[in-house]
Amino acid sequence: MRKIIIAGNWKMYKTSFEAVELVNELKRTLGDMSEVDVVVCPPFTALVEVKDVISESNIGLGAQNIYWEEFGAFTGEVSAPMLTAIGVQYVIIGHSERRQFFGETDATVNKKIKAALKHALIPIVCVGEVLAEREAGKTFAVIEKQLEGSLAGFTAEEIENVVLAYEPVWAIGTGKTATPVQAQEVHKFIRDWLTKKFDAAIANKVRIQYGGSVKPENTAELIGQPDIDGALVGGASLKSETFSQIVKNCLALK
Ligand code: PGA
């Protein structure tokens, strides 16, 4: 049985002061939650202070990006050992905003996953098609190419420690959610790909989150799908009421 994982991607929102305020509220509502894995991913500048708040709770800490080298003359970048040193456990890799605005490719995603795994960070690896690709009937081809490129060269043991996130780009921040049927179809495709590439046992273990306008009202129908194991939440993770409600709506599922 795969444990549901709900991660809040705070993107470039919240000063460290605001982040502490939000995570204090989340600690009150979700701090003891053990049935669902709950993760918050604040901006780099708030990681240390957020960690101080959640260190005695069940809430996990994630970053939104890493660089693949461990150290060096790479102005503006942050490495995996720098993150683990302050207690970060997860890292989002290959989010569509990074692919779209910062030149992230499947090849750089691959290097970043390698760096994360080497330092025992759990990568949350994002894949997803843009609207034109969906409308052209290319969704599966796009997802397959992203999986092939991003996950090239990993062993089955390594893949077990990866969380995948299917995020149709057209559903991110737009209020348009994939229907449960549309989402399940792609999640099933991803799991079948894992079976083909590795084996059924591995495919059964890997958690695949859905992301794209997840909110309390659509949580149950999405995560109730057999191959959807959680959510990567953007906008609705910025308020404690909505994020807590999303997590609570998972309790009755699976
Ligand atoms: P959204 O963002 O929930 O605001 O659509 C999801 C994401 O980008 O991870």
Side-chain angles (χ1 to χ4, degrees):
M1 197 74 247
R2 297 179 296 270
K3 190 172 182 187
I4 292 175
I5 175 167
I6 305 292
N9 173 12
W10 294 4
K11 307 193 180 185
M12 201 175 74
Y13 292 100
K14 307 288 177 189
T15 62
S16 51
F17 179 80
E18 292 162 344
V20 164
E21 227 174 30
L22 172 58
V23 83
N24 263 313
E25 291 170 26
L26 293 176
K27 189 179 163 185
R28 267 195 298 281
T29 52
L30 302 173
D32 296 330
M33 179 69 62
S34 56
E35 299 90 335
V36 173
D37 284 337
V38 178
V39 180
V40 292
C41 305
F44 286 129
T45 47
L47 285 168
V48 170
E49 277 150 292
V50 167
K51 180 66 191 171
D52 285 345
V53 175
I54 58 179
S55 54
E56 306 273 279
S57 80
N58 285 336
I59 300 176
L61 185 64
Q64 299 173 19
N65 184 30
I66 47 165
Y67 191 59
W68 56 82
E69 296 291 347
E70 294 182 357
F71 54 85
F74 302 105
T75 302
E77 296 295 319
V78 173
S79 72
M82 290 173 179
L83 294 176
T84 51
I86 55 167
V88 174
Q89 301 142 297
Y90 298 82
V91 59
I92 300 172
I93 297 180
H95 189 280
S96 63
E97 286 151 16
R98 297 219 53 90
R99 293 176 186 260
Q100 213 177 329
F101 306 130
F102 303 101
E104 195 88 82
T105 63
D106 293 333
T108 60
V109 168
N110 184 265
K111 288 187 194 187
K112 290 180 177 191
I113 300 171
K114 211 168 283 171
L117 291 172
K118 182 172 175 205
H119 293 279
L121 276 170
I122 299 174
I124 299 179
V125 181
C126 306
V127 295
E129 81 287 0
V130 300
L131 186 58
E133 292 164 339
R134 172 159 286 266
E135 287 177 346
K138 291 186 183 150
T139 299
F140 292 146
V142 169
I143 301 296
E144 177 155 32
K145 185 165 171 285
Q146 291 175 339
L147 291 170
E148 290 281 353
S150 307
L151 303 183
F154 293 111
T155 63
E157 294 70 43
E158 287 173 318
I159 292 296
E160 265 186 54
N161 296 314
V162 170
V163 173
L164 296 174
Y166 168 57
E167 298 205 303
V169 179
W170 48 272
I172 295 178
T174 58
K176 278 190 210 154
T177 321
T179 65
V181 172
Q182 283 174 322
Q184 165 59 24
E185 178 174 78
V186 179
H187 281 241
K188 168 92 169 52
F189 177 83
I190 294 172
R191 206 172 301 287
D192 288 346
W193 182 88
L194 290 167
T195 305
K196 204 169 61 190
K197 253 344 208 208
F198 301 97
D199 59 45
I202 300 295
N204 269 323
K205 279 190 194 157
V206 173
R207 294 184 290 182
I208 311 172
Q209 296 176 309
Y210 168 80
S213 300
V214 172
K215 40 187 185 272
E217 300 77 42
N218 58 26
T219 302
E221 55 174 15
L222 285 162
I223 299 177
Q225 297 297 314
D227 289 297
I228 303 185
D229 310 310
L232 184 54
V233 186
S237 72
L238 298 173
K239 287 210 172 75
S240 70
E241 304 77 45
T242 43
F243 190 65
S244 302
Q245 198 55 50
I246 287 171
V247 173
K248 286 177 184 162
N249 288 356
C250 293
L251 288 177
L253 305 168
K254 300 192 171 157

